[in-house]
């Protein structure tokens, strides 16, 4: 025992011998076989299994632990570089920059820099103007606090004043209290651009406005409904026929057979039914060509379509609201009132459950409804068509507003199926299905325009390609009058006008963005120039198609004249831009003038079917006269350093988020008072 103890003590006191270097791992064969390896070269296991030539060792990778200080240093470097990128590209997510070339990144920086320069200039002006600098409310670009926005489109306003609503901007009413929020897609934005690029055009239109004020339009009066009951019933029947022939194919939400049956029996007295009946007759009277009958039946409809109609939710009350807000109030030039009513109608539709498909049915075919009675099938189909008609009416009306969509369609919470084809020749379902698919695209476009950051060229091109694919997929009956039923004429042409107009809005808005950024022509890239050429081409196509396909019907002319007016803004702006250059392109000027001449000839042909208060043709003619005179050298705007500032003649920032305020930039206070004093007489 003592010997062992002394030996152990002696061993522990001596310095430890260096251990032989350990192999990193067992050889690859032992690892594969999952047997113990002795680390030999070759190892005993490989020798035993006679695979010595396979005995090899993989070198162990050395692990380098990162210290906390190193991690903090790298994180700080990453944060500083991210901050620099965010300063250079404040409106773009860094992930969106991945994969872009150096040229694309420089283009983004260039456009952003000129835009910030314009904003800085506006900020300097605001600092000098204490009224504009007041930050008690959000300030619009004409210095008006948004808290003061208001309008008056109530029925007590004379029709001639209602025709000057701030959304359509067709007539030169200068009521300073009628203002609403609009975005870059509005007609107001492009009119402001034309007037700022070409001041003589503004003065010319102001001169015309004085003449219009000296010759006010008086609406024709007619005795209220009464007298011979038989004659009144014949009028109503005629208006109902015109409604189902010309208006129903656009928004086929009514069951025509059921409606006509209820009307012929004459037993129903529910407020919802009476409101719907009078709205159908009101709009049908417009299609019939009457100037006054719609006013009389609208007064009757108002007694049933009022605030109480929201307290008694039913399908017929909802359909009456759709016709009121989606069609008639726009005809009366009360678009803000129409916008509000359609918003309320959307809530009513959701409360009625129209946004959800019945869980008992899973397919969109008539065969899946074979277990239902015909009346239940018709009722289910009417609910679907009412929902999608409301959706389309709201989308169409909002295309030139630039306002948020407010959840008009959300696929995560709404699943109403598209209309079913009751039979092979169900042209009404064909029309509504095509309009619905179009409006689903437009709904996303409107939602994109309502966002804070601007639409990019890539996004616009993608939307345009999607729209063109939709148009190409339409049945031949909806694209060409050849072999198309006469009942589809107005619905088909409405569809064509809206298709070309939304394409025009996409490209026109990008041009206005460029104008707002004050980019010279020499700075424009190939994509920007392509957008300008495409915009001109689509505008020319829109003018040509309206001139070719319009029909002598008041409803059709009302729609066509409005879209023709919008299409004319592009060649007008094109002439202004080309005329301002030292070397204008003759082909562009010639093409633009030819389109405008054709448009004004079409306006002249439409005149007998237009509303007496429509001033769209007069505005186009006045601007055309002013800018063509300038193109010949009269009042030419000077260029700078031999290269025209292509979009640069602005004394103020272009209005994208505000309305067209005629009184603020077109007419003085004296003219404002004269115009309204005369019109109110």
């Amino acid at each position: 025992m003592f010997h062992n103890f002394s030996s152990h003590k002696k061993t522990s006191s001596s310095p430890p011998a260096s251990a032989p270097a350990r192999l990193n791992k067992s050889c690859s064969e032992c690892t594969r076989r999952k047997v113990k390896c002795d680390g030999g070269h070759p190892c005993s296991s490989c020798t035993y299994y006679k695979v010595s030539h396979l005995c090899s060792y993989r070198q162990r990778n050395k692990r380098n632990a990162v210290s906390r200080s190193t991690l903090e240093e790298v994180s700080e470097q990453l944060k500083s570089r991210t901050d620099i990128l965010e300063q250079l590209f404040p409106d773009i997510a860094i992930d969106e920059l991945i994969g872009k070339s150096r040229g694309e990144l420089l283009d983004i920086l260039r456009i952003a820099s000129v835009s910030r320069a314009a904003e800085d200039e506006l900020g300097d002006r605001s600092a000098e103007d204490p009224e504009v600098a007041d930050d008690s409310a959000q300030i619009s670009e004409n210095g008006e606090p948004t808290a003061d926005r208001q309008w008056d489109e109530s029925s007590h306003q004379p029709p001639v004043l209602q025709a000057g609503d701030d959304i359509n901007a067709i007539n030169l009413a200068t009521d300073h209290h009628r203002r609403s929020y609009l975005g870059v897609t509005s007609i107001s934005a492009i009119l402001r651009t034309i007037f700022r690029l070409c001041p003589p055009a503004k003065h010319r239109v102001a001169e015309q406005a004085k003449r219009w004020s000296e010759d006010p339009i008086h609406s024709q009066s007619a005795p209220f409904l009464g007298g011979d009951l038989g004659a009144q019933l014949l009028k109503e029947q005629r208006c109902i026929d015109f409604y189902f022939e010309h208006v129903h194919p656009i928004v086929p939400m009514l069951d025509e057979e059921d409606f006509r049956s209820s009307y012929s029996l004459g037993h129903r007295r529910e407020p919802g039914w009476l409101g719907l009946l009078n709205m159908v007759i009101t709009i049908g009277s417009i299609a019939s060509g009457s100037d006054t009958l719609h006013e009389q039946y609208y007064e009757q409809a108002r007694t049933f379509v009022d605030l109480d109609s929201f307290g008694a939710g039913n399908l017929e009350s909802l359909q009456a609201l759709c016709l009121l807000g989606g069609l008639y109030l726009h005809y009366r030039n009360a678009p803000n009132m129409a916008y509000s009513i359609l918003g309320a109608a959307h809530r009513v539709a959701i409360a009625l459950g129209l946004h959800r498909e019945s869980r008992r049915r899973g397919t969109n075919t008539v065969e899946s409804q074979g277990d239902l009675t015909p009346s239940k099938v018709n009722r289910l189909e009417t609910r679907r068509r009412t929902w999608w008609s409301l959706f389309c009416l709201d989308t169409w009306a909002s295309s030139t507003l630039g306002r948020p969509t407010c959840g008009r369609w959300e696929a995560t919470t709404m699943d109403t199926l598209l209309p079913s084809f009751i039979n092979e020749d169900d042209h009404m379902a064909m029309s509504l299905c095509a309009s619905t698919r179009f409006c689903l695209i437009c709904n996303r476009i409107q939602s994109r325009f309502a966002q804070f950051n601007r639409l990019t060229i890539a996004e616009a091109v993608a939307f345009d390609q999607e729209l063109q694919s939709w148009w190409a997929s339409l049945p031949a009956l909806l694209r060409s009058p050849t072999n198309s039923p006469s009942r589809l004429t107005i619905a088909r042409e409405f569809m064509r006008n809206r298709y070309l107009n939304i394409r025009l809005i996409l490209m026109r808005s990008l041009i206005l963005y460029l104008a707002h950024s004050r980019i010279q022509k020499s700075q424009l890239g190939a994509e920007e120039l392509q957008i300008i050429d495409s915009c001109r081409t689509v505008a020319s196509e829109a003018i040509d198609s309206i001139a070719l396909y319009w029909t002598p019907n008041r409803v059709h002319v009302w729609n066509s004249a409005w879209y023709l007016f919008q299409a004319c803004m592009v060649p007008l702006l094109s002439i202004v831009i080309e005329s301002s250059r030292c070397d204008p392109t003759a082909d562009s000027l010639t093409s633009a003038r030819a389109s405008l001449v054709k448009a004004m000839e079409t306006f002249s042909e439409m005149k007998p079917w237009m509303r007496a208060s429509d001033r769209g043709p007069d505005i186009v003619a006045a601007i055309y006269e002013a800018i063509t005179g300038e193109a010949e050298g009269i009042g030419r705007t000077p260029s700078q350093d031999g290269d025209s500032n292509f979009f640069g003649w602005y004394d103020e920032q272009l209005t994208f988020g505000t309305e067209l305020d005629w009184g603020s930039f077109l007419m003085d206070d004296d003219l404002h008072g004269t115009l309204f004093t005369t019109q109110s007489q």
Side-chain angles (χ1 to χ4, degrees):
M1 181 181 66
F2 290 104
H3 171 76
N4 292 338
F5 176 79
S6 61
S7 300
H8 174 72
K9 184 176 181 181
K10 182 178 180 180
T11 303
S12 60
S13 61
S14 61
S18 58
R22 296 182 59 189
L23 297 175
N24 288 336
K25 290 183 178 180
S26 62
C27 70
S28 56
E29 272 297 301
C30 290
T31 301
R32 185 181 66 82
R33 295 176 181 273
K34 297 182 179 179
V35 297
K36 187 175 181 181
C37 181
D38 60 6
H41 296 278
C43 68
S44 58
S45 296
C46 291
T47 302
Y48 175 81
Y49 288 108
K50 299 180 179 180
V51 289
S52 301
H53 61 286
L54 298 178
C55 185
S56 61
Y57 294 85
R58 290 177 296 179
Q59 185 176 0
R60 177 181 296 178
N61 295 328
K62 185 178 181 180
R63 297 180 181 179
N64 295 321
V66 179
S67 65
R68 180 180 297 274
S69 60
T70 302
L71 177 62
E72 291 177 350
E73 180 181 355
V74 172
S75 300
E76 186 65 27
Q77 292 176 354
L78 177 62
K79 183 178 182 301
S80 62
R81 285 161 175 74
T82 303
D83 291 341
I84 293 174
L85 288 175
E86 289 177 348
Q87 292 179 12
L88 291 174
F89 306 97
D91 300 327
I92 302 177
I94 295 179
D95 292 341
E96 297 180 9
L97 301 175
I98 298 175
K100 293 188 179 296
S101 64
R102 180 176 182 275
E104 292 174 334
L105 293 174
L106 291 176
D107 287 341
I108 296 174
L109 284 175
R110 172 178 53 80
I111 296 174
S113 63
V114 295
S115 178
R116 284 196 295 269
E119 293 174 359
D120 293 341
E121 181 179 348
L122 180 64
D124 295 339
R125 295 179 184 176
S126 300
E128 297 172 0
D129 188 347
E131 180 180 356
V132 177
D134 180 15
D135 59 356
S136 60
Q138 182 182 353
I139 303 298
S140 65
E141 288 155 346
N142 62 1
E144 174 204 359
T146 56
D148 293 338
R149 297 189 188 278
Q150 53 182 303
W151 60 87
D152 188 2
E153 297 172 352
S154 54
S155 59
H156 68 268
Q157 285 283 0
V160 68
L161 296 185
Q162 287 185 328
D165 66 87
D166 64 338
I167 288 179
N168 294 323
I170 291 181
N171 299 291
L172 300 185
T174 54
D175 187 354
H176 289 272
H177 299 288
R178 300 172 64 187
R179 301 171 178 177
S180 62
Y181 174 86
L182 297 175
V184 69
T185 61
S186 67
I187 195 67
S188 307
I190 192 167
L191 280 171
R192 279 188 178 274
T193 306
I194 292 174
F195 288 156
R196 284 173 174 154
L197 286 172
C198 180
K202 177 175 69 175
H203 302 320
R204 178 60 179 169
V205 176
E207 292 175 0
Q208 293 293 328
K210 291 182 179 180
R211 298 179 185 177
W212 300 333
S213 66
E214 295 169 358
D215 186 20
I217 302 169
H218 299 283
S219 59
Q220 300 177 3
S221 59
F224 194 74
L225 297 172
D228 187 359
L229 180 59
Q232 178 179 335
L233 292 177
L234 286 176
K235 285 183 179 179
E236 292 180 356
Q237 186 63 57
R238 181 172 181 267
C239 292
I240 292 173
D241 291 341
F242 268 93
Y243 173 87
F244 281 104
E245 182 67 23
H246 299 288
V247 181
H248 180 66
I250 305 171
V251 280
M253 60 183 167
L254 304 182
D255 185 333
E256 181 177 357
E257 182 179 353
D258 181 67
F259 183 92
R260 290 185 181 274
S261 175
S262 297
Y263 174 75
S264 61
L265 293 174
H267 299 322
R268 300 188 60 181
R269 289 293 179 268
E270 307 95 307
W273 160 254
L274 293 176
L276 175 60
L277 172 62
N278 282 280
M279 284 309 307
V280 166
I281 297 175
T282 298
I283 297 175
S285 68
I286 297 173
S288 72
S290 172
D291 289 325
T292 58
L293 198 57
H294 68 92
E295 294 277 357
Q296 302 170 31
Y297 278 100
Y298 175 55
E299 288 299 320
Q300 289 192 172
R302 289 180 61 205
T303 62
F304 304 106
V305 186
D306 54 9
L307 285 177
D308 288 338
S309 63
F310 293 104
N314 57 75
L315 197 60
E316 289 166 340
S317 295
L318 174 62
Q319 291 168 340
L321 291 172
C322 291
L323 295 179
L324 175 61
L327 295 175
Y328 184 66
L329 288 177
H330 288 282
Y331 185 80
R332 289 179 63 90
N333 285 313
N336 284 302
M337 186 176 178
Y339 177 77
S340 302
I341 287 179
L342 282 183
H346 192 261
R347 294 290 183 92
V348 173
I350 292 177
L352 291 174
L354 269 62
H355 66 300
R356 288 292 185 95
E357 193 69 25
S358 174
R359 295 282 75 100
R360 292 176 297 177
R361 301 160 187 85
T363 60
N364 188 23
T365 62
V366 177
E367 289 76 11
S368 66
Q369 302 165 1
D371 58 331
L372 301 177
T373 63
S375 61
K376 289 185 178 180
V377 171
N378 291 340
R379 193 179 309 119
L380 173 63
E381 190 60 26
T382 300
R383 288 171 59 87
R384 289 174 180 166
R385 298 190 185 196
T386 300
W387 169 262
W388 289 118
S389 294
L390 170 60
F391 172 77
C392 290
L393 287 169
D394 194 24
T395 305
W396 293 333
S398 302
S399 62
T400 56
L401 298 184
R403 298 172 180 173
T405 59
C406 301
R408 186 185 298 131
W409 173 257
E410 295 177 352
T412 57
T413 60
M414 303 171 182
D415 63 352
T416 304
L417 298 178
L418 293 181
S420 300
F421 285 70
I422 302 300
N423 52 62
E424 294 181 357
D425 297 327
D426 191 353
H427 297 140
M428 303 301 102
M430 179 191 299
S431 172
L432 184 55
C433 284
S435 294
T436 298
R437 292 189 178 96
F438 170 75
C439 288
L440 287 171
I441 302 174
C442 293
N443 186 62
R444 291 189 286 108
I445 294 174
Q446 293 174 22
S447 178
R448 180 61 187 87
F449 270 118
Q451 296 177 16
F452 292 112
N453 54 324
R454 293 177 175 179
L455 183 79
T456 65
I457 292 180
E459 290 174 315
V461 170
F463 278 131
D464 187 59
Q465 291 175 348
E466 191 173 356
L467 288 167
Q468 292 185 64
S469 298
W470 166 83
W471 178 257
S473 68
L474 288 180
L477 296 179
L478 297 177
R479 287 189 290 113
S480 171
T482 305
N483 299 325
S484 180
S486 60
R487 207 176 191 190
L488 282 179
T489 298
I490 295 182
R492 182 187 65 244
E493 297 311 317
F494 269 42
M495 205 174 296
R496 185 198 309 275
N497 291 343
R498 289 177 177 128
Y499 160 68
L500 293 173
N501 186 66
I502 193 63
R503 293 187 63 200
L504 204 59
I505 287 174
L506 280 171
M507 302 171 193
R508 186 181 73 193
S509 300
L510 292 173
I511 295 176
L512 295 181
Y513 287 152
L514 295 174
H516 178 51
S517 301
R518 307 184 183 189
I519 300 176
Q520 295 182 356
K521 184 181 179 182
S522 58
Q523 296 178 294
L524 296 177
E527 291 181 330
E528 287 91 344
L529 294 174
Q530 180 62 41
I531 286 293
I532 295 173
D533 290 339
S534 298
C535 188
R536 292 170 176 171
T537 301
V538 173
S540 177
E541 182 181 353
I543 293 173
D544 291 343
S545 66
I546 292 174
L548 180 62
Y549 294 117
W550 76 275
T551 59
N553 177 277
R554 193 177 292 272
V555 172
H556 192 184
V557 168
W558 162 44
N559 174 272
S560 298
W562 166 233
Y563 287 118
L564 183 59
F565 175 71
Q566 290 210 53
C568 286
M569 295 299 107
V570 173
L572 287 173
L573 180 61
S574 179
I575 292 177
V576 171
I577 293 173
E578 290 295 336
S579 301
S580 64
R581 297 174 53 193
C582 297
D583 54 343
T585 306
D587 292 342
S588 298
L589 287 173
T590 302
S591 176
R593 290 189 181 188
S595 294
L596 288 170
V597 169
K598 178 180 289 188
M600 288 186 285
E601 290 175 350
T602 305
F603 277 131
S604 180
E605 295 172 359
M606 291 178 173
K607 190 69 174 178
W609 292 273
M610 295 178 68
R611 295 169 295 181
S613 59
D614 284 341
R615 295 296 187 188
D618 301 318
I619 294 177
V620 172
I623 298 176
Y624 178 74
E625 182 179 347
I627 63 178
T628 52
E630 186 171 327
E632 297 169 359
I634 302 175
R636 174 187 287 268
T637 305
S639 60
Q640 298 178 356
D641 299 329
D643 185 14
S644 64
N645 188 349
F646 193 52
F647 295 103
W649 293 295
Y650 292 94
D651 51 356
E652 296 177 5
Q653 187 179 13
L654 178 67
T655 297
F656 289 117
T658 55
E659 68 297 324
L660 179 62
D661 181 5
W662 292 101
S664 67
F665 72 95
L666 178 60
M667 308 171 71
D668 55 25
D669 293 336
D670 293 338
L671 180 56
H672 162 73
T674 302
L675 177 58
F676 270 83
T677 302
T678 306
Q679 288 182 335
S680 61
Q681 294 176 352

